[in-house]
Amino acid sequence: ADFVLVWETVPWELSGQQDSCKNRDMQERSATIHRTWRKKFLDELHAAGIHMEKHMTRVEKKVVHYLLLSAPWSVLCYYAEELQLRVPLQALPRQTSNWSASVLRQLGIPNLMAQEVPNLPLDYYTCPFKANKLCWFLGSDEQDTFFSTTQRHQILYKILATTQYGHSKDREVGVDRLLSENVFAAAFPLHEARPCHPPGTHCQPCTPAGPSPGPSPTPCLSPQGPYKLQPEEVADGSLSPRQVLFQYWASWGKWSKYQPLDHIRKYFGEKVAFYFAWLGFYTGWLLPAAAVGMVVFVTGLFLVFSDVPSQEICGSEGKYWMCPLCKTCPYWQLSKICSTFMAGRLFDHGGTIFFSIFMSLWAVLFLEFWKRTNASLAHHWDCSEFEDIEEQPRPQFTAVAPMTMINPVTGAEEPYFPKRRRIHRILAGSMVIIMMIAVVVMFLISVILYRAVVAILLSRSGYFWFVASASRIASITGSVVNLIFILILSKIYISLAHFLTKWEMHRTQTKYEDAFTFKVFIFQFVTFYSFPVYIAFFKGKFVGYPGNYRSFLGVRNEECSPGGCFMELAQELLVIMVGKQIVNNAQEVAIPKLKCWWRKRKLLSGKKPGKEGESVLVEQAPWVMDHQLLVFEGLFEEYLEMVLQFGFITIFVAACPLAPLFALLNNWVEIRLDAHKLICDYRRPVAERAQGIGIWFSILEAITHLAVISNAFLIAFTSDFLPRVYYGYVHDSSLRGYVNFTLAYAPRDFVRQSNATCRYRAFRDRDGNLTSTYWQLLAVRLGFIIVFEHVVFLTGRVIAGLVPDIPESVEIKVKHERYLAKEALAENKV
């Protein structure tokens, strides 16, 4: 079978036993409408030539109906030409797709990442299918295997998505609407099971045959369709594609091996394969970033113990009395922050500059080389022209588009939605998005006020530990509250983004997903990055000075902790980034397993046997087993998690050189977690074609540019690096006296009112005015930003110019493939 439709009914003798007459009548009316729609839909499928085979099982008070659908050869040929599915013209020799394997082979070094995966898919020159040129395609005499299983799924889904069961104006078209209305409980392609007999021998049905409206070419499948391997299967090597992927990809023991991308593409389609190709490529590139980050961090460990300002602070017992941090707070000694200041030096030293430049160039190189890899894979997987020429309009768009228009690229008449109306809808949706972002900003302000109030309350508590750690406790609890808020609000916003994107009427699935992705990412970017941005660039910058402190809504503006904002930023990154990764991985492990367990419990607990032994056989039927699995909801959440992570390790990497290491460790787990979910916990998705990772690449480019600017400002205004360089150049290169240099004396008016002298961090005189040192340092900071950005951007442009987007070998292959297609499909061929 190529596809399975599932619906549930309640037998008459069990319906409405516990319900009132009113509820029973409403249920009966709803069931009648559902029966009418379902009958009309199935009649249309039958008229389209689809073969059907029906099976039923009894579960508690319901009957579950399974309708197995398959398309005959004539239907496959018709829709393959309409969908412009690519079929093989000529076989190609296998070529390695891993550059690291080629390098290691040339160097004569054993490749520990390589593995021999059975049933390696062949490579072909291909071109779009033409029924009248059938004899020129490879394997055209084998009708059962000419179209791949994923192509058959695509054809069946196209028919299901465009079949009308009511009025098109009411959008009564397609299986997706019927699923949303609960007319059908599920619609999915089957996971592949291995054949239960050797090729060429006769086979009895492995599952009990149900009533069938017509003949079906459903292949005989083993009742042992799951992913787990049996001992005899390991011995004879006859593994199904799903078992191969489980054994050589989703297994935790393969964490250090190359992913079998061709197998993934053949089983799940190009869209899923591109995600895992990008994730593996990104994880590989994190290795040098993590190694350099570790070196920088270890360098910081050594510098801590030889740092002169740290020694001055730790040895300044009674020397520097600091001004109170709030109205009722006591004066405090600078030596109290010894441990915090030394911890901050782990992240804030000369290596920070080098690592920021390194990561900025790393991000540019990563994207440039991904372009080349993307181009090679797109050609290898026959989808390099998919978005421009081959992609069809969305079935939902086709059903409700008000008019038609000639496509200027293909010359075909297609449904059309006026561009002006779409722009108006996009603008209206943008206003809603701006309002939601405003809500996030308002909450951010409330969390800032919360942190200030908590710090004040803890300082007044009288307990020494609370008083000493007030700022740190307020900061940590604020970060946790912010994380919880982010996770809750993002669920609401995603539903809103889905509605707005559907309303905007995008023509193709790629454009629809790009628009949805952009909306949600903007929101997630603001929610996840707003607090780190506040700490990095705003906190402690507009505080004022003793006797003239600035306030917001009656609360004094928040100061950086005594150890500085750089340490707080590193702490914030670790809480959000690592905390989010732990929560996500825990959810990805536990939630699918719990959902699967609950579904199997519901579907199997009340199952009643029919004839002797029938229940056991039906439970083992592949369609019943796949129905127990979870619905695949796309890759958006997976991409979003990785791209947000990419932002953390590039935009704020100056504050936390260990971020790439945490990202690397997470991604090693993430690849196998995602693979395991797809193979074991989810129903097989309909294979979708794609030309790459879509708008995510543009988002990554924007993040890379933003990272250069962010790191420049971080080093200039948040780090102590430039003040140290300035002091060493102007005053003392050994940095003796640097601590006293950064501390100003409280203004005379404040001293007279409080009758005590104290110090605070600023470059001001005894009257509270900014000194010439402040302005000189400001000029140094602005000059550094300009030089840093120009050097990194210029180097990035040179790298981009030296690395061509498409490898020369791929360009030659594309030209040769076009020539072969032209020869094979020439009109004068007989």
Side-chain angles (χ1 to χ4, degrees):
D2 297 317
F3 228 89
V4 181
L5 288 178
V6 184
W7 70 92
E8 299 173 350
T9 57
V10 180
W12 175 258
E13 67 272 12
L14 297 176
S15 62
Q17 289 181 353
Q18 307 293 329
D19 298 332
S20 63
C21 290
K22 184 176 180 181
N23 288 340
R24 200 180 311 143
D25 290 342
M26 290 178 62
Q27 290 176 1
E28 183 59 32
R29 279 197 299 271
S30 176
T32 302
I33 293 171
H34 286 187
R35 279 196 300 270
T36 304
W37 281 353
R38 189 161 51 236
K39 183 178 185 307
K40 175 68 173 173
F41 186 77
L42 297 181
D43 288 344
E44 291 291 328
L45 291 180
H46 188 72
I50 303 301
H51 292 295
M52 304 179 188
E53 180 183 341
K54 191 174 180 182
H55 298 264
M56 290 185 293
T57 61
R58 183 77 169 265
V59 179
E60 294 181 349
K61 296 182 179 180
K62 294 180 180 179
V63 176
V64 182
H65 303 259
Y66 298 94
L67 190 65
L68 278 60
L69 308 177
S70 56
W73 174 252
S74 58
V75 174
L76 291 173
C77 289
Y78 176 82
Y79 279 97
E81 190 164 338
E82 181 177 321
L83 291 172
Q84 299 188 57
L85 297 182
R86 300 184 72 92
V87 289
L89 281 170
Q90 177 181 317
L92 281 171
R94 285 294 311 167
Q95 296 179 354
T96 179
S97 57
N98 293 301
W99 64 270
S100 56
S102 303
V103 172
L104 291 173
R105 187 169 57 251
Q106 291 175 0
L107 295 174
I109 300 173
N111 188 358
L112 299 178
M113 296 178 288
Q115 62 173 338
E116 289 293 329
V117 184
N119 307 332
L120 187 65
L122 296 175
D123 196 9
Y124 300 98
Y125 282 127
T126 64
C127 73
F129 177 77
K130 292 286 185 183
N132 59 352
K133 306 292 182 185
L134 180 62
C135 61
W136 290 100
F137 299 117
L138 286 180
S140 56
D141 53 338
E142 295 288 338
Q143 295 184 359
D144 291 340
T145 58
F146 180 72
F147 293 107
S148 67
T149 55
T150 52
Q151 289 177 329
R152 297 169 75 97
H153 296 164
Q154 288 170 331
I155 290 170
L156 258 293
Y157 181 72
K158 168 73 174 179
I159 296 171
L160 292 172
T162 55
T163 298
Q164 188 170 322
Y165 59 90
H167 299 290
S168 61
K169 291 183 179 178
D170 296 331
R171 302 192 179 192
E172 294 176 348
V173 177
V175 71
D176 290 333
R177 173 74 187 274
L178 292 173
L179 288 169
S180 66
E181 297 283 352
N182 295 319
V183 178
F184 290 111
F188 54 89
L190 283 171
H191 277 293
E192 287 186 42
R194 76 187 178 98
C196 64
H197 64 95
T201 61
H202 183 69
C203 175
Q204 297 297 324
C206 302
T207 52
S212 175
S216 173
T218 305
C220 179
L221 301 176
S222 166
Q224 297 175 349
Y227 51 87
K228 292 183 179 178
L229 277 68
Q230 305 298 326
E232 65 273 12
E233 293 172 339
V234 177
D236 63 16
S238 57
L239 305 181
S240 71
R242 189 183 184 193
Q243 290 172 327
V244 170
L245 287 172
F246 176 75
Q247 180 74 7
Y248 294 93
W249 178 47
S251 171
W252 289 103
K254 304 296 182 181
W255 67 271
S256 62
K257 303 297 183 183
Y258 290 132
Q259 298 182 85
L261 294 176
D262 287 336
H263 291 76
I264 299 169
R265 178 249 180 171
K266 184 179 179 182
Y267 195 74
F268 290 112
E270 288 80 8
K271 183 169 285 188
V272 171
F274 265 115
Y275 165 71
F276 283 101
W278 175 80
L279 181 55
F281 186 85
Y282 170 47
T283 304
W285 272 70
L286 280 173
L287 276 168
V292 175
M294 275 294 295
V295 170
V296 171
F297 180 75
V298 171
T299 303
L301 283 174
F302 286 104
L303 291 176
V304 162
F305 300 103
S306 60
D307 184 52
V308 173
S310 299
Q311 294 170 0
E312 287 185 348
I313 288 176
C314 294
S316 63
E317 190 73 33
K319 184 176 181 181
Y320 300 111
W321 283 93
M322 306 298 290
C323 297
L325 297 174
C326 64
K327 287 184 179 178
T328 57
C329 296
Y331 292 85
W332 55 283
Q333 293 185 37
L334 188 61
S335 58
K336 296 292 184 183
I337 67 164
C338 172
S339 57
T340 309
F341 188 84
M342 291 182 70
R345 290 294 295 149
L346 291 174
F347 305 101
D348 187 5
H349 53 82
T352 300
I353 305 291
F354 164 75
F355 194 54
S356 298
I357 296 174
F358 172 83
M359 285 303 295
S360 299
L361 297 179
W362 173 90
V364 172
L365 274 171
F366 164 70
L367 294 180
E368 288 301 321
F369 277 93
W370 168 249
K371 279 185 192 175
R372 291 169 59 85
T373 303
N374 191 103
S376 299
L377 289 174
H379 174 260
H380 177 52
W381 292 339
D382 304 317
C383 52
S384 54
E385 296 180 340
F386 172 68
E387 292 179 16
D388 296 330
I389 297 175
E390 300 170 20
E391 188 170 17
Q392 302 291 308
R394 294 170 61 237
Q396 298 87 341
F397 175 82
T398 303
V400 297
M403 56 197 297
T404 60
M405 187 177 179
I406 300 297
N407 187 315
V409 178
T410 62
E413 187 175 1
E414 291 183 352
Y416 178 73
F417 189 81
K419 190 174 181 179
R420 183 172 221 153
R421 287 173 61 184
R422 180 182 293 117
I423 290 173
H424 289 164
R425 293 188 177 193
I426 290 173
L427 290 174
S430 300
M431 295 300 105
V432 177
I433 292 169
I434 291 171
M435 289 173 59
M436 288 295 293
I437 290 174
V439 170
V440 175
V441 174
M442 288 167 58
F443 185 83
L444 169 66
I445 294 171
S446 66
V447 171
I448 294 169
L449 294 175
Y450 159 84
R451 289 164 61 139
V453 170
V454 168
I456 292 171
L457 293 176
L458 291 174
S459 299
R460 292 177 179 175
S461 65
Y463 295 100
F464 173 77
W465 188 82
F466 281 156
V467 172
S469 308
S471 178
R472 197 177 308 118
I473 293 171
S475 178
I476 293 173
T477 56
S479 299
V480 173
V481 169
N482 190 42
L483 177 62
I484 294 171
F485 163 77
I486 286 168
L487 296 174
I488 294 173
L489 195 60
S490 62
K491 301 292 183 186
I492 301 171
Y493 183 83
I494 286 173
S495 301
L496 179 62
H498 268 300
F499 171 79
L500 290 174
T501 310
K502 288 178 184 175
W503 184 57
E504 289 168 1
M505 291 291 292
H506 294 279
R507 174 182 166 272
T508 64
Q509 187 66 22
T510 298
K511 290 183 178 177
Y512 173 88
E513 291 179 1
D514 287 352
F516 172 75
T517 298
F518 181 74
K519 288 183 184 65
V520 178
F521 181 78
I522 289 293
F523 175 80
Q524 297 282 16
F525 184 88
V526 173
T527 53
F528 275 101
Y529 293 148
S530 55
F531 225 73
V533 166
Y534 162 72
I535 294 174
F537 305 119
F538 298 99
K539 185 177 181 181
K541 303 297 189 294
F542 310 101
V543 175
Y545 54 90
N548 188 26
Y549 286 113
R550 297 173 185 173
S551 61
F552 178 75
L553 298 178
V555 178
R556 177 173 150 184
N557 286 354
E558 198 176 14
E559 289 189 55
C560 291
S561 64
C565 279
F566 217 69
M567 183 61 189
E568 278 193 63
L569 180 58
Q571 169 192 294
E572 180 75 14
L573 289 177
L574 292 175
V575 168
I576 292 182
M577 181 180 167
V578 179
K580 184 176 183 295
Q581 289 177 350
I582 292 172
V583 169
N584 283 344
N585 288 337
Q587 287 178 338
E588 289 184 29
V589 170
I591 292 178
K593 295 298 180 188
L594 290 174
K595 285 183 176 179
C596 278
W597 172 80
W598 181 249
R599 281 187 62 83
K600 288 179 182 179
R601 186 173 179 274
K602 283 178 63 180
L603 290 170
L604 297 178
S605 61
K607 191 164 290 185
K608 296 182 179 179
K611 299 175 184 177
E612 185 177 354
E614 180 179 342
S615 174
V616 176
L617 286 171
V618 170
E619 286 179 14
Q620 291 182 338
W623 45 89
V624 177
M625 297 173 68
D626 284 6
H627 184 221
Q628 296 165 8
L629 302 178
L630 305 179
V631 179
F632 177 71
E633 297 178 347
L635 294 166
F636 174 79
E637 290 291 340
E638 316 300 338
Y639 270 120
L640 180 65
E641 181 184 352
M642 291 297 103
V643 172
L644 286 173
Q645 180 200 88
F646 181 83
F648 280 121
I649 69 167
T650 53
I651 294 177
F652 303 107
V653 74
C656 189
L658 290 178
L661 176 64
F662 288 120
L664 175 65
L665 297 175
N666 174 79
N667 290 6
W668 270 334
V669 175
E670 184 74 25
I671 290 175
R672 306 304 156 183
L673 267 182
D674 291 344
H676 193 272
K677 285 191 303 182
L678 273 171
I679 295 295
C680 308
D681 300 328
Y682 287 143
R683 296 171 191 160
R684 187 176 182 178
V686 179
E688 293 184 69
R689 301 194 70 201
Q691 198 169 323
I693 62 174
I695 199 174
W696 292 111
F697 183 81
S698 300
I699 291 173
L700 290 170
E701 284 189 313
I703 289 175
T704 299
H705 285 81
L706 188 60
V708 177
I709 299 169
S710 171
N711 284 311
F713 275 87
L714 264 178
I715 295 167
F717 288 98
T718 308
S719 168
D720 269 351
F721 176 76
L722 290 182
R724 285 169 177 256
V725 171
Y726 173 85
Y727 182 83
Y729 181 77
V730 174
H731 298 283
D732 188 346
S733 59
S734 67
L735 296 184
R736 289 186 180 85
Y738 173 75
V739 174
N740 185 63
F741 167 73
T742 59
L743 299 177
Y745 286 92
R748 295 184 179 90
D749 294 340
F750 180 82
V751 172
R752 281 196 294 269
Q753 291 175 7
S754 59
N755 201 23
T757 300
C758 60
R759 309 289 293 273
Y760 66 102
R761 288 199 61 164
F763 295 103
R764 294 179 182 270
D765 58 22
R766 297 300 293 266
D767 296 321
N769 300 316
L770 295 169
T771 63
S772 60
T773 301
Y774 171 84
W775 298 109
Q776 291 170 9
L777 259 176
L778 181 62
V780 170
R781 284 170 165 151
L782 296 176
F784 172 82
I785 290 171
I786 294 171
V787 171
F788 184 93
E789 290 180 357
H790 278 67
V791 167
V792 174
F793 280 133
L794 180 61
T795 309
R797 289 291 178 88
V798 171
I799 292 171
L802 293 175
V803 180
D805 293 348
I806 302 176
E808 185 179 355
S809 59
V810 172
E811 290 183 337
I812 293 172
K813 288 179 184 177
V814 169
K815 291 175 183 177
H816 183 58
E817 188 165 3
R818 286 175 180 168
Y819 171 77
L820 284 176
K822 183 180 178 182
E823 286 291 302
L825 303 181
E827 291 299 328
N828 61 353
K829 293 280 185 183
V830 178

